[in-house]
Amino acid sequence: MRLQIDFMSRSIGVGIGLFLAAGPLIAVDVPHRNPPVEERTMREARAALAASQWARAIELLQAHVRVYADDADAHNLLGYSSRQLGQYAASQAAYERALQLDPPHGGAHDYMGERMLTLGRRERALCHLGELERLCQ
């Protein structure tokens, strides 16, 4: 068991290292399970994300989830945008909502893991990144 845990920690550690070495990233917007909702607010939110206009993206995504409360992908992107502005409590709430709506949402596990790393909570990060690794098998 110890060997398996050490291997998993090393594997995740290598993944974390590769992630950190990748440099600036863009938001991953890959619908996981929810039907794609292509309406003007989401198109504008995606454009704001692509332009790193985090406050504008948050405004648009909040408007979107008021109408489409069960859109896990939108909650995930809301969490991403909030995290970019250092709004860690808001980002956690958004990621948790995305995972509540869609527990195997890979993007939400990935971003929650990144959030935990940013806050120095390595063990919690490993939990989310371990779940992401399990989902990818």
Side-chain angles (χ1 to χ4, degrees):
M1 182 68 173
R2 174 78 180 153
L3 178 63
Q4 182 180 11
I5 291 171
D6 286 345
F7 175 76
M8 186 173 160
S9 291
R10 244 181 265 131
S11 296
I12 292 173
V14 169
I16 291 169
L18 291 172
F19 163 76
L20 293 175
L25 298 176
I26 58 169
V28 177
D29 185 17
V30 179
H32 181 69
R33 289 187 178 221
N34 291 341
V37 179
E38 281 300 324
E39 47 94 23
R40 190 181 65 169
T41 305
M42 274 305 283
R43 286 192 306 274
E44 290 178 13
R46 286 187 183 96
L49 286 164
S52 300
Q53 297 172 345
W54 312 123
R56 177 72 177 141
I58 289 169
E59 176 185 313
L60 291 162
L61 290 163
Q62 286 174 337
H64 177 81
V65 298
R66 279 194 293 274
V67 177
Y68 300 99
D70 293 338
D71 187 343
D73 296 319
H75 286 283
N76 182 48
L77 294 175
L78 181 57
Y80 179 85
S81 301
S82 298
R83 184 167 51 92
Q84 297 307 310
L85 290 179
Q87 299 172 357
Y88 297 114
S91 69
Q92 179 169 340
Y95 295 141
E96 287 175 351
R97 180 66 177 142
L99 291 170
Q100 179 185 35
L101 292 167
D102 186 8
H105 195 290
H109 282 291
D110 180 17
Y111 289 155
M112 182 70 97
E114 290 176 29
R115 177 192 175 279
M116 294 300 176
L117 279 176
T118 300
L119 297 176
R121 299 180 67 191
R122 186 177 184 275
E123 292 303 316
R124 289 288 309 266
L126 290 174
C127 289
H128 284 284
L129 296 176
E131 181 63 15
L132 181 61
E133 183 176 35
R134 187 188 71 73
L135 292 169
C136 292
Q137 293 178 357

